[in-house]
């Protein structure tokens, strides 16, 4: 699994063992896939609970992943969408850009 495609949150909660189990899933029979998937889910839940027991971890995610505006959030979501959803997001981004331009022209950029 390529860590570049994971969010900071996923990277913090991923482990070598979980990655290995996810990698072998396609090679198993359906019953084993189900059982291993349940184990993976349990391990991820356990890591999530451990992660959020430390308040510093939560603050690190907020500080490192927080985006300043709706356009950043929409662009981040866009890669996970199908073509129709991407077009809808593109329309929203265009509308946001128009509002921003209007604010700059007529309000001097004040919000």
């Amino acid at each position: 699994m390529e860590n570049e495609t994971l969010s900071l949150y996923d990277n913090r909660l991923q482990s070598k063992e979980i990655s290995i189990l996810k990698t072998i899933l396609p090679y198993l029979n359906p019953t084993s896939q189900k059982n291993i998937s349940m184990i993976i889910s349990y391990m991820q839940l356990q890591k999530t609970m451990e992660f959020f027991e430390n308040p510093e971890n939560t603050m690190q995610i907020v500080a490192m992943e927080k985006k300043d505006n709706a356009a950043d959030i929409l662009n981040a979501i866009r890669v996970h969408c199908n073509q129709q959803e991407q077009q809808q997001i593109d329309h929203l981004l265009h509308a946001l850009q128009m509002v921003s331009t209007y604010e700059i022209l007529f309000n001097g950029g004040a919000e």
Side-chain angles (χ1 to χ4, degrees):
M1 180 174 286
E2 293 182 23
N3 286 344
E4 297 111 30
T5 61
L6 296 175
S7 71
L8 174 63
Y9 173 80
D10 289 328
N11 273 325
R12 297 285 172 104
L13 300 179
Q14 193 68 18
S15 71
K16 179 177 158 183
E17 295 80 13
I18 291 172
S19 293
I20 290 170
L21 289 173
K22 286 180 176 181
T23 302
I24 66 170
L25 272 177
Y27 301 97
L28 303 175
N29 64 50
T31 303
S32 295
Q33 285 180 350
K34 178 183 174 185
N35 293 335
I36 296 297
S37 293
M38 297 297 283
I39 292 169
I40 291 169
S41 295
Y42 175 76
M43 290 171 70
Q44 289 175 320
L45 177 61
Q46 192 173 29
K47 284 188 71 68
T48 301
M49 291 169 40
E50 290 169 5
F51 181 81
F52 283 105
E53 285 176 0
N54 181 353
E56 282 186 26
N57 290 332
T58 308
M59 296 306 294
Q60 288 175 359
I61 287 178
V62 170
M64 296 176 86
E65 286 196 344
K66 184 177 180 191
K67 299 295 180 179
D68 291 334
N69 61 48
D72 290 336
I73 294 169
L74 289 171
N75 279 314
I77 298 170
R78 191 178 184 281
V79 298
H80 301 288
C81 297
N82 64 37
Q83 187 175 7
Q84 182 182 4
E85 293 164 337
Q86 287 179 352
Q87 288 174 347
Q88 291 172 341
I89 288 174
D90 290 341
H91 292 304
L92 285 170
L93 289 168
H94 182 70
L96 287 172
Q97 186 177 23
M98 288 174 51
V99 168
S100 176
T101 301
Y102 176 85
E103 287 176 350
I104 290 169
L105 290 174
F106 297 103
N107 298 332
E111 294 183 19

